[in-house]
Amino acid sequence: MNMSSTAAVAVVAIGLVFLTFAGQCSGALEVGFYRGKCGRFVDVEGIVAGVVRTKFFRDRTIAAALIRMQFHDCFVNGCDASILLDGSASEKTAPPNLSVRGFDIIDTAKTAVESVCRGVVSCADIIAIATREAVYLSGGGRYNVQTGRRDGLISLAANVDLPAPSISVPDSIAAFARKGLNMTDMVHLLGGHTVGVAHCFLFQDRLYNFQNTGKPDPDMNVALLERLRRICPQNSAGTNATNLDQNPQSSFIVDNSFYKEIVARRGILQIDQELALDPITQATVTALANNSTNSFATKFGQAMVKLGAVEVLTGSQGEIRRSCLAVNKPGFLTFN
């Protein structure tokens, strides 16, 4: 692989519900890590939140974009902001990441933070803080974000290996387990599909040729099947999209509606629908569908905290990037 400066980034030498997880700490991560590190009156999380709020009130879809960004980042090299690095063969260029959005929000937040606190706040932490704020603005819980991550030095498209939309429940459980996340965490994190869309090419086989049967997926609600066939004509390019949560009153709200939809066989992605049908996950899904939105908000927040602690860099590991798009040049000092 060509590891020139234009190639992959490589190692560089030399509102609604307020949740508190008191005492939670993962390694060197902690709630309020930046308190006092940027001066008495600088509120790092508040600065990032302000950037997210400004963007959110113009575009509510950023909640789904940021949830997806954090998941895609953490599932590759851990939560190290490697997904943000530019490069001709960086993670950004991998097929699953070509439609990832929200980089501009992270860049704007980084610029705002650097203007008052240079070389202290990591891009990895900004992703976690921004995502939490977007979840809260979308009606989810305002869970406490653990901070103290440092930024990674490696970003390779070849390392991107994310669970496919058609993955089975047992295989999905195994993929999450490799990241230290259990079955319940998986079900809660996939509840992030309460917001966002899926393009037709990700589920078109369910409409016309499920598992090479020449027939649609028998587990799909018939009315939904007819609607999706109008959105995704057979043999089309698959570029049209539909909401992952098919409840039109809830498609932009972080709540438990997604689980109610998949229990009613109105799941879009194959893995989403199978969560409600597989004996391993069925009881968990049913409970989430029947419980209150506040209950889901708590569980989703806890799962996001666990996701945010996957394979993090702390202490002297990695670096604090000056720009989220590139690793630092030699000689740039950080103070975290």
Side-chain angles (χ1 to χ4, degrees):
M1 181 178 292
N2 180 6
M3 297 302 289
S4 68
S5 60
T6 58
V9 178
V11 174
V12 177
I14 315 276
L16 294 182
V17 184
F18 291 85
L19 309 176
T20 302
F21 306 119
Q24 279 195 350
C25 183
S26 299
L29 298 184
E30 60 181 275
V31 174
F33 178 82
Y34 294 109
R35 194 173 295 123
K37 288 185 170 61
C38 297
R40 182 177 176 185
F41 300 108
V42 175
D43 178 3
V44 170
E45 294 190 22
I47 292 170
V48 176
V51 171
V52 174
R53 282 196 300 271
T54 298
K55 180 69 172 179
F56 179 84
F57 290 124
R58 294 198 302 263
D59 178 11
R60 290 191 298 166
T61 69
I62 68 162
L66 290 173
I67 292 170
R68 185 172 181 231
M69 178 192 290
Q70 185 171 1
F71 181 83
H72 282 219
D73 182 50
C74 294
F75 241 68
V76 179
N77 289 329
C79 307
D80 66 348
S82 54
I83 196 172
L84 303 180
L85 289 170
D86 284 341
S88 62
S90 70
E91 289 176 31
K92 279 184 179 178
T93 68
N97 289 337
L98 294 177
S99 58
V100 171
R101 299 184 299 116
F103 299 116
D104 59 318
I105 301 169
I106 305 303
D107 291 341
T108 301
K110 177 65 170 175
T111 299
V113 169
E114 285 289 306
S115 69
V116 295
C117 190
R118 184 173 181 262
V120 174
V121 182
S122 69
C123 299
D125 279 343
I126 290 174
I127 291 175
I129 296 166
T131 302
R132 183 276 306 278
E133 195 64 23
V135 168
Y136 168 64
L137 291 170
S138 299
R142 199 175 193 280
Y143 52 92
N144 284 336
V145 172
Q146 295 176 341
T147 43
R149 300 168 189 81
R150 289 172 64 87
D151 299 319
L153 303 170
I154 299 173
S155 184
L156 294 169
N159 290 341
V160 176
D161 183 18
L162 296 164
S166 59
I167 193 172
S168 69
V169 168
D171 286 348
S172 184
I173 290 172
F176 277 74
R178 288 192 290 273
K179 300 300 176 181
L181 301 166
N182 61 34
M183 179 274 291
T184 305
D185 298 326
M186 179 193 77
V187 174
H188 293 159
L189 288 169
L190 287 176
H193 291 170
T194 184
V195 290
V197 301
H199 290 90
C200 294
F201 70 86
L202 294 173
F203 59 87
Q204 208 152 331
D205 61 316
R206 297 189 67 208
L207 310 182
Y208 301 102
N209 187 27
F210 182 63
Q211 297 181 345
N212 296 316
T213 61
K215 299 177 181 180
D217 185 344
D219 291 324
M220 181 176 286
N221 174 278
V222 174
L224 176 64
L225 173 63
E226 294 174 354
R227 179 177 178 277
L228 292 179
R229 281 181 163 181
R230 291 192 293 272
I231 296 171
C232 309
Q234 191 168 17
N235 300 320
S236 65
T239 54
N240 291 342
T242 191
N243 291 325
L244 287 164
D245 182 348
Q246 285 290 299
N247 176 356
Q249 278 74 49
S250 183
S251 297
F252 294 97
I253 301 173
V254 174
D255 60 11
N256 66 337
S257 173
F258 164 77
Y259 299 105
K260 295 178 182 179
E261 291 296 300
I262 62 176
V263 166
R265 298 179 183 253
R266 291 172 55 81
I268 301 300
L269 302 180
Q270 185 177 337
I271 180 57
D272 289 351
Q273 188 55 69
E274 290 192 5
L275 288 179
L277 301 174
D278 194 290
I280 303 172
T281 51
Q282 188 177 50
T284 304
V285 168
T286 301
L288 288 162
N290 292 336
N291 289 339
S292 68
T293 290
N294 286 3
S295 175
F296 166 67
T298 301
K299 291 177 170 62
F300 184 67
Q302 291 169 337
M304 289 297 287
V305 170
K306 286 190 69 174
L307 174 67
V310 169
E311 298 170 8
V312 295
L313 303 175
T314 59
S316 62
Q317 298 171 315
E319 65 181 11
I320 304 299
R321 286 184 215 143
R322 184 170 186 178
S323 165
C324 293
L325 304 178
V327 296
N328 295 335
K329 295 179 181 178
F332 178 73
L333 297 178
T334 60
F335 307 98
N336 184 329

